[in-house]
Amino acid sequence: MPHGSAIRGTRVGSGPVRPTERCDPAPRRPVTYWCAKGHSIEVLLAAEVAPPATWDCPRCGQPGGLDQLNPPGPARAEPYKSHLAYVKERRSDADGEALLAEALAALRRRRGEF
Ligand SMILES: [Zn+2]
């Protein structure tokens, strides 16, 4: 059993960590938004700020509203697009097939199939 410890100053209670005045955050309150898909989005907003009418859902990209029973519809100038949709915008189907064939060929090479 070795004596002493290589790690010093980690004794419980050796350095009380308390938030300083400077780091004290402004008062915040949680505001919950609801998107059309039923996701709840909890946002911490500064207490003195009026919450915006909508908040984009980080899970599906749809706008969320404050009324759970009446969420805003998906009507937006820029509809949510999946990553694949953006890729398809940049690449044609032919490009996609070429890329797929390339990827499959590389995969087969790695597996030792020719
Ligand atoms: Zn959502």
Side-chain angles (χ1 to χ4, degrees), residues 33-39 54 63-74:
Y33 290 87
W34 303 88
C35 80
K37 294 193 174 176
H39 302 137
T54 62
L66 293 165
D67 185 355
Q68 181 182 6
L69 299 177
N70 188 23

Side-chain angles (χ1 to χ4, degrees), residues 37-62:
K37 294 193 174 176
H39 302 137
S40 64
I41 310 127
E42 193 175 84
V43 187
L44 280 177
L45 296 174
E48 72 273 15
V49 172
T54 62
W55 195 276
D56 284 355
C57 174
R59 290 170 68 183
C60 67
Q62 301 293 337

Side-chain angles (χ1 to χ4, degrees), residues 92-109:
S92 68
D93 283 352
D95 283 344
E97 274 172 31
L99 283 171
L100 185 64
E102 211 173 88
L104 284 174
L107 192 67
R108 290 196 181 109
R109 275 199 298 278

